Amino acid sequence: MTNADPPTARTVVPIESSLLIAEAFDQAQVTELRHSVTSCAHAAGLDGQRLDDFVLAVNELITNAVRHGGGQGWLRLWWRSGELVCEVADHGRGISAQRLGDRSRPAADTAGGWGLWLARELSDAMEVETSAAGTTVRISTAAPAGRRARAE
């Protein structure tokens, strides 16, 4: 991609008025952003292991954006029909088809390569859109409907 090329179109997902977080971040904001996600997810009804799993999945995505996606990213977290959805986008070089297609657990002694695998394993659903212009990863997890009012 050159400066003369138009930017690659990103998929825009319509969201309800229950947007909880929309924030750009870099390495300096990772910890603060993780705490914000934890607070919002807990208010939306996640707790215990379900809360821990979702926050760890999000943390892996934001860390990947910083490490592999150009040093910064954008996070949106929202409530949608009984689930929490988190989207992390970056302007890195994209993820290879081979890497995306490999759903096997990394070897225990592997220092890297755990991020996408963990995010996939710890969330109910994961979608990835990637190209040379960047990557957008969207994960979701079911949240108890009884506590939705606290998230709004």
Side-chain angles (χ1 to χ4, degrees):
M1 185 166 143
T2 67
N3 288 338
D5 293 333
T8 303
R10 298 254 188 206
T11 301
V12 176
V13 177
I15 58 175
E16 299 173 11
S17 62
S18 45
L19 181 65
L20 303 172
I21 301 173
E23 191 169 327
F25 62 89
D26 61 19
Q27 180 63 45
Q29 287 87 33
V30 168
T31 300
E32 181 181 334
L33 189 55
R34 184 178 62 245
H35 290 301
S36 295
V37 168
T38 301
S39 295
C40 288
H42 185 262
L46 295 184
D47 59 9
Q49 191 64 50
R50 194 103 171 124
L51 174 64
D52 293 345
D53 288 351
F54 186 73
V55 172
L56 178 55
V58 171
N59 186 69
E60 291 298 323
L61 297 179
I62 60 180
T63 300
N64 277 355
V66 169
R67 287 186 183 158
H68 308 294
Q72 61 186 3
W74 298 265
L75 179 138
R76 291 190 315 153
L77 178 72
W78 68 93
W79 173 268
R80 175 180 70 193
S81 303
E83 65 182 356
L84 271 178
V85 182
C86 184
E87 179 180 272
V88 176
D90 65 52
H91 286 300
R93 297 181 182 183
I95 304 169
S96 72
Q98 178 185 0
R99 184 134 183 98
L100 277 179
D102 184 4
R103 295 183 181 247
S104 60
R105 179 184 175 132
D109 59 349
T110 303
W114 287 87
L116 286 177
W117 183 84
L118 278 170
R120 186 178 288 115
E121 291 294 310
L122 298 175
S123 60
D124 292 340
M126 184 171 95
E127 302 168 43
V128 181
E129 296 175 24
T130 190
S131 71
T135 300
T136 300
V137 181
R138 190 175 305 114
I139 61 171
S140 60
T141 191
R147 293 187 54 188
R148 179 177 186 239
R150 292 183 189 175
E152 295 181 311

